[in-house]
Amino acid sequence: MSTTKTNPGNYFEDFHVGQIIRHATPRTLTVGDAALYMGLYGPRFAVQSSDAFARTIGYPSAPLDDLLVFHTVFGKTVPDISLNAIANLGYADCRFEKPVYPGTTLSTVSEVIGLKENSNGKTGTVYVRSTGADEKGETVLSYTRWVMVRKKDEASPAPEAVVPALPETVAPEALAAAVPAIDVSRFDTNLSGSPFRWGDYEVGEKIDHVDGMTVEEAEHQIATRLYQNTAKVHFNQHTEGQGRFGRRLIYGGVVISLARALSFNGLNNAFHLAAINAGRHVAPLFAGDTVYAWSEVLDKAELPGRSDIGALRTRLVAVKNRACADFPFKTAEGGYDEGVILDLDVWLAIPR
Amino acid sequence: MSTTKTNPGNYFEDFHVGQIIRHATPRTLTVGDAALYMGLYGPRFAVQSSDAFARTIGYPSAPLDDLLVFHTVFGKTVPDISLNAIANLGYADCRFEKPVYPGTTLSTVSEVIGLKENSNGKTGTVYVRSTGADEKGETVLSYTRWVMVRKKDEASPAPEAVVPALPETVAPEALAAAVPAIDVSRFDTNLSGSPFRWGDYEVGEKIDHVDGMTVEEAEHQIATRLYQNTAKVHFNQHTEGQGRFGRRLIYGGVVISLARALSFNGLNNAFHLAAINAGRHVAPLFAGDTVYAWSEVLDKAELPGRSDIGALRTRLVAVKNRACADFPFKTAEGGYDEGVILDLDVWLAIPR
Amino acid sequence: MSTTKTNPGNYFEDFHVGQIIRHATPRTLTVGDAALYMGLYGPRFAVQSSDAFARTIGYPSAPLDDLLVFHTVFGKTVPDISLNAIANLGYADCRFEKPVYPGTTLSTVSEVIGLKENSNGKTGTVYVRSTGADEKGETVLSYTRWVMVRKKDEASPAPEAVVPALPETVAPEALAAAVPAIDVSRFDTNLSGSPFRWGDYEVGEKIDHVDGMTVEEAEHQIATRLYQNTAKVHFNQHTEGQGRFGRRLIYGGVVISLARALSFNGLNNAFHLAAINAGRHVAPLFAGDTVYAWSEVLDKAELPGRSDIGALRTRLVAVKNRACADFPFKTAEGGYDEGVILDLDVWLAIPR
């Protein structure tokens, strides 16, 4: 006798607009997770690295890295949203709304906000708005994601197409919530690693983050399990060896974290990832590849009511197996240059 | 001048029935160990993952994973019991007697409870009862293990054979001690990932845990060092490359932890490993192999005085490089199927 | 428009004697770092492994491993001192001055104490005295290091040569500061793993630490990122594949930590690394290599005013891909034996 108590994941037909999904498993993040995050990516932003530095400027203690929070909130959605996904198509309108400290328990709820069957009748795009909350029920993070999901039965009728309107960027007034008022006079730029503040960056400026980081199978697997992300393609060489790439695919969040950590070299004081306006994983990353990154300043914004910090809108581009001195991005035809793996449009908070 | 201050390990002749061995090194487990355990195996049981979930049902905070405790208690015994072992033959009567929280210091004492020389005169089986205690001296875990150990001198006489009587299973009345009374009405099955409780499982039911996990050298080495397990075969490619497998052998506890983590998919609410009735490592695992697992419900038991939780006795089978949809186990001749690496008979606690 | 907000590192001409460099990034070490350190190297010294053991003898809790502190303090200096270094030539006069507990924030300041251009006119040696302090500003560690650094412009004039006088060893009276008065009667040698105390070791005694540990790329990368050490040679296969070794070079601190962890087997009670008198990385280590270690007792010293602990001066030698039963060290010609990778002269504290 065998039964199906295991999770088969949801197929395209299983989703309907307005559907609310409460995801398992709530997860308490600790200083243990922070240490492992440090070991896996090597970020060096002073606020997240040092309780003493964080306290000096007004935090109660060092907050957790924003992307550790993002990946944890995201990981919970995988068994319900993307277990049968073919591709993670994009992110938008991701807002970090509250600082998260060790000891916080995160859980995630998603709402289906759009559905559109593809013309091939085999797949469709599912749009979800996912919200991560702490143990008090307060939102720490929310974002929209859309994924291409298989239909279980190609003969099932297409739902009415609903494609949500997505903002091109998060509005500056929505950016400050996760940073307490800081005493910017005590933000020691010797300790933070660079003298450059908000006023020192110009729109159009490009920064080659210089360093490269080679990724190992053990590293991305440990990272992705830490987020309790269960997508099979990241872990199973026995099946992926027979799959489309012949090998395990690295979770896109690993690329984001590596690029963000590399971006310290040139954006040292941009300590808070305040929003992800839009993001695309342009090409896959595999173990043995080396990740480089560069940034372009797309915009600058003052934050309403805040004289301590300002916002830089940057494009963070990750590239594999190719240095970024020439800022590889797009071809004349509009496609991405060879080697580009991530195109992420973000808002960063940085002292003024 | 050289001396032998290093540990040569014990040989078969060094053991006698009734011998008590207090093992080094006491070890304080923390949230750091819990995070690393999460990154290495990816368990998703809500009680161990979330302080908030644990508190809601009646724990003071999230307890540590039972197998992190087991491996830590076990690891201490290696330098004294199995440094000169040829094979870890089996486990039995393993009882988890007290919940263990971050900050607890574990130490281990073993008693030799049986000895039997093999007919070849070169090796013998040593039976030990090992007990892990916290810093108050209270037992958190005890188990019997038997290993095949080399003789130092083949000419030394065989001891009187003593083979301890081992219970086939741990009695249900011994199972509840490590779980405080829980408020099962507050056990949120949305957050735990599955609606299935004790009453939903039937004896004879088989569950394919579906997912597969490929193991890397770095992963099993980090895990095994975390437990301060010093068995040479796990760490030294320079010697193992010349050894019987030509490569490092993965600690069997890694297999147990992976299989247990995979079993979440289908046994989501069976949050506590209450006992290991019997266990055998049927075949070795190596880096690059992919681990799958399936379970069969062997028995069900009510727990005396407890209406909150019940017990499921399951066989947890781990298999390498082979999916488990057909539940590989034994051949018609009684041997194990190709690919089976672990045959573990356990009691699980699960809400009623 | 591109700008150079990234750190180009300092070249030989950028240094001058008396220069003070305050390094980024302050870093709070936690139980998470301690757990990861355990998983990466597997040390088993009881004082650092167990809060209960540490408290019993007089510590407030288990201190962090001395080398975790060293690597963290050291890592901060890399972006300013050795980003353009060709070789890390040596260490001397390294003193551990205060115990460091989880929760401590470390930062580092260096003073340039010597400069000497090489006769080739292309490079020079920079001597720095680096001091790690906690969040109260109290020194926890200080050491002298010298590195060979490239000149930016070979035509720039040589500075006046200043070569600091370095002590051959740290004086015994400077060794005890990081160990509180301990109650040596409560130092349980069953739990610490060996009966051998200060009085049991003799000058000239050699100890083969027996065990070997194979290092994986993921392991050394995780370790080195944990210390926020950014030296490119450890992380970038894309460039190192074209470099002098054709592969990533393992951070020398990983070798030191592995050798120290292996040295537990034979020096079980020498729980505190009190000083590094001198150290050289004799040859490089690469992933896949297996590290062995042996020690020789060079000297013994009583510590002024302390009857609880004494000091052993040892040479800790790490060797790759070769067991140490014959204590490989130097050839008749005075060079190092094939396989020797580390020659470290240290003071260890051990109960009397």
Side-chain angles (χ1 to χ4, degrees), chain A residues 270-288:
Chain A
F271 66 87
H272 173 53
L273 178 63
I276 299 174
N277 296 307
R280 284 188 56 192
H281 296 292
V282 172
L285 182 73
F286 303 106

Side-chain angles (χ1 to χ4, degrees), chain B residues 39-89:
Chain B
L40 290 166
Y41 306 112
R44 289 183 285 145
F45 298 98
V47 173
Q48 284 79 15
S49 297
S50 167
D51 283 334
F53 190 97
R55 285 184 187 125
T56 296
I57 64 169
Y59 279 86
S61 71
L64 294 172
D65 194 287
D66 301 300
L67 288 168
L68 173 56
V69 174
F70 177 83
H71 300 323
T72 302
V73 168
F74 180 98
K76 304 195 175 326
T77 70
V78 170
D80 299 314
I81 305 297
S82 48
L83 206 66
N84 300 309
I86 295 163
N88 192 27
L89 297 173

Side-chain angles (χ1 to χ4, degrees), chain B residues 46-48 50-64 66 98-101 176-183 187 271-273 306 308-309 349:
Chain B
V47 173
Q48 284 79 15
S50 167
D51 283 334
F53 190 97
R55 285 184 187 125
T56 296
I57 64 169
Y59 279 86
S61 71
L64 294 172
D66 301 300
K98 193 182 171 189
V100 179
Y101 301 100
V179 182
I182 67 170
D183 182 348
F187 194 100
F271 66 87
H272 173 54
L273 179 64
R306 303 286 298 247
D308 53 348
I309 53 172

Side-chain angles (χ1 to χ4, degrees), chain C residues 53-317:
Chain C
F53 190 97
R55 284 183 187 125
T56 295
I57 63 169
Y59 280 85
S61 69
L64 294 171
D65 194 287
D66 301 300
L67 288 169
L68 172 57
V69 174
F70 177 83
H71 300 321
T72 301
V73 168
F74 180 97
K76 305 197 173 325
T77 70
V78 169
D80 300 314
I81 305 297
S82 49
L83 206 65
N84 300 309
I86 294 163
N88 192 29
L89 298 173
Y91 312 98
D93 194 19
C94 173
R95 289 174 253 144
F96 294 84
E97 304 190 17
K98 192 181 171 190
V100 180
Y101 301 100
T104 301
T105 299
L106 298 175
S107 55
T108 310
V109 174
S110 295
E111 179 178 358
V112 179
I113 60 169
L115 287 173
K116 186 168 188 300
E117 187 165 305
N118 287 325
S119 55
N120 63 15
K122 298 178 180 175
T123 58
T125 299
V126 180
Y127 297 80
V128 292
R129 181 82 192 161
S130 298
T131 301
D134 65 17
E135 68 278 7
K136 299 172 195 161
E138 295 176 6
T139 297
V140 300
L141 170 68
S142 62
Y143 65 93
T144 298
R145 167 164 87 115
W146 54 107
V147 292
M148 192 189 302
V149 178
R150 282 190 192 83
K151 291 179 70 176
K152 198 187 303 181
D153 176 5
E154 296 183 16
S156 61
E160 183 185 4
V162 176
V163 176
L166 295 169
E168 192 187 342
T169 65
V170 175
E173 47 268 30
L175 296 177
V179 181
I182 67 170
D183 182 348
V184 79
S185 72
R186 304 189 72 190
F187 194 100
D188 182 330
T189 54
N190 277 306
L191 292 178
S192 68
S194 162
F196 303 114
R197 295 165 180 260
W198 184 77
D200 298 309
Y201 291 87
E202 290 181 50
V203 174
E205 183 174 350
K206 293 180 178 178
I207 303 162
D208 172 12
H209 300 306
V210 179
D211 305 300
M213 191 74 78
T214 305
V215 186
E216 300 296 320
E217 298 280 14
E219 293 169 349
H220 78 82
Q221 293 198 144
I222 291 172
T224 309
R225 281 186 297 249
L226 191 70
Y227 317 135
Q228 298 181 309
N229 179 327
T230 60
K232 300 167 199 287
V233 292
H234 310 316
F235 299 114
N236 188 329
Q237 183 58 36
H238 182 238
T239 53
E240 295 310 307
Q242 310 300 317
R244 67 179 150 151
F245 299 116
R247 52 199 311 201
R248 283 162 278 177
L249 180 66
I250 293 176
Y251 164 48
V254 168
V255 178
I256 297 176
S257 283
L258 280 171
R260 168 76 177 145
L262 291 169
S263 78
F264 174 82
N265 195 354
L267 286 163
N268 310 237
N269 291 330
F271 65 88
H272 172 54
L273 179 63
I276 300 174
N277 296 308
R280 286 188 56 193
H281 296 292
V282 173
L285 182 73
F286 303 106
D289 286 339
T290 300
V291 176
Y292 293 86
W294 65 273
S295 292
E296 178 176 0
V297 180
L298 301 176
D299 198 359
K300 295 178 64 170
E302 299 192 19
L303 297 177
R306 303 285 299 248
S307 59
D308 52 349
I309 53 173
L312 296 179
R313 184 180 162 208
T314 66
R315 171 177 289 119
L316 176 58
V317 178

Side-chain angles (χ1 to χ4, degrees), chain A residues 23-38:
Chain A
H23 305 290
T25 299
R27 170 93 156 82
T28 303
L29 293 175
T30 69
V31 292
D33 299 290
L36 197 40
Y37 191 89
M38 176 71 74

